[in-house]
Amino acid sequence: MDDLHVIEEIRRLKYRYLRGVDQKRWDLLEQALTEDAVADYGTKAMGEPLVLTGRAAILDFMRQNLGGDKIITFHFAGQPEIDVDGDSATGTWAFEDTVIIKEHRLVIKGAAYYEEEYVRSPEHGWRIKHIGYNRLYEAMVSWDDLPSLKFLAGV
């Protein structure tokens, strides 16, 4: 039963991480990551896949590239496979995301599997130590190519 409780804590941690990114709640994102966290985002939307080392670097990247109202993101993750070993754990999550870049009139859709490592400390509980993915697919389309596209909210 203890592992089931831990798995639920890690699921909630992941959901907070995603909500922090999508709602631009940098405080939630900061609380979800260890200070030495590494993010290995396998997106080619910015040219090369991104490797960010340290919570500060991850937060700086998110604030600079996803902050403000120019970009809307939505991440959906499920099907978690979480293995617990004392105060550490690993997880694999299927996810899909949508990124709407208003300034450039682009929509990016993609899917991947997150591969993650978690650690638990007495003072902070569970946090993400490593987060990464390699895309199964990533597609980008211009709004101009979709003359019937109408956003009814958010844009």
Side-chain angles (χ1 to χ4, degrees):
M1 291 300 279
D2 285 342
D3 279 359
L4 291 177
H5 179 73
V6 168
I7 289 169
E8 182 60 21
E9 288 177 343
I10 292 171
R11 286 167 42 107
R12 291 175 59 85
L13 167 67
K14 179 64 175 181
Y15 299 149
R16 269 193 316 276
Y17 166 89
L18 296 171
R19 187 164 50 88
V21 171
D22 292 338
Q23 292 181 338
K24 300 167 188 358
R25 292 277 314 273
W26 311 129
D27 59 323
L28 291 180
L29 188 57
E30 181 176 14
Q31 293 166 16
L33 300 168
T34 63
E35 190 174 337
D36 62 346
V38 174
D40 186 2
Y41 299 128
T43 178
K44 301 235 174 158
M46 301 185 77
E48 292 296 318
L50 301 167
V51 178
L52 305 167
T53 302
R55 181 174 55 207
I58 297 167
L59 288 167
D60 286 346
F61 174 84
M62 295 293 185
R63 284 184 183 114
Q64 290 175 17
N65 292 281
L66 301 182
D69 64 354
K70 293 181 181 180
I71 293 186
I72 298 168
T73 63
F74 182 76
H75 295 78
F76 179 81
Q79 300 170 235
E81 300 170 54
I82 300 168
D83 295 308
V84 180
D85 184 14
D87 288 333
S88 63
T90 58
T92 300
W93 298 77
F95 85 95
E96 289 186 311
D97 63 339
T98 302
V99 179
I100 301 170
I101 308 168
K102 297 192 290 187
E103 181 179 15
H104 297 288
R105 301 177 53 78
L106 295 172
V107 176
I108 300 170
K109 292 276 298 168
Y113 285 92
Y114 277 111
E115 296 288 338
E116 300 180 339
E117 297 173 20
Y118 315 97
V119 295
R120 175 173 49 189
S121 71
E123 58 274 358
H124 301 296
W126 288 98
R127 291 198 172 179
I128 300 168
K129 182 173 182 61
H130 181 268
I131 183 169
Y133 61 81
N134 287 309
R135 288 286 199 188
L136 296 172
Y137 79 87
E138 186 171 66
M140 183 168 34
V141 65
S142 170
W143 299 359
D144 300 331
D145 294 337
L146 304 169
S148 65
L149 178 66
K150 291 182 184 174
F151 287 98
L152 301 177
V155 178

